Amino acid sequence: MSETKQILEIKSPKSGAYREDITGNPMECSKCNGMGWTWTFDSGFHRERKDCPLCNGTGYVKPKITIEWEPDNQHKR
């Protein structure tokens, strides 16, 4: 089965930015397989459809990545 991958190339900043927030492309939720819901059981063992807790019922999730840059004090010149 084929699979989609997103690759992030990290390069040191040329400006004074010490923090970067990156949001990736939306992907199908792996918990509910893009349906937006999952089966759960109530106290009487009856099946119920509930919104997926990972995607909140949308069927899609997106990665949010934060990069914080700091000096490497071990490699002084």
Side-chain angles (χ1 to χ4, degrees):
M1 181 176 202
S2 299
E3 136 182 345
T4 301
K5 292 184 180 183
Q6 296 180 49
I7 298 171
L8 174 64
E9 186 175 337
I10 299 174
K11 295 181 180 181
S12 62
K14 293 184 179 185
S15 66
Y18 294 107
R19 179 184 169 115
E20 297 178 68
D21 293 315
I22 301 163
T23 302
N25 297 329
M27 294 183 261
E28 188 176 271
C29 178
S30 59
K31 184 165 182 74
C32 68
N33 295 317
M35 294 186 300
W37 53 270
T38 59
W39 288 111
T40 60
F41 294 95
D42 63 12
S43 59
F45 295 103
H46 297 100
R47 290 193 323 169
E48 290 183 315
R49 270 177 54 165
K50 294 263 185 175
D51 280 352
C52 175
L54 184 60
C55 67
N56 290 330
T58 64
Y60 290 90
V61 293
K62 60 185 174 184
K64 194 173 206 179
I65 302 163
T66 300
I67 300 172
E68 293 183 17
W69 294 95
E70 61 183 35
D72 183 0
N73 294 324
Q74 294 178 358
H75 294 93
K76 290 185 180 181
R77 291 186 181 187

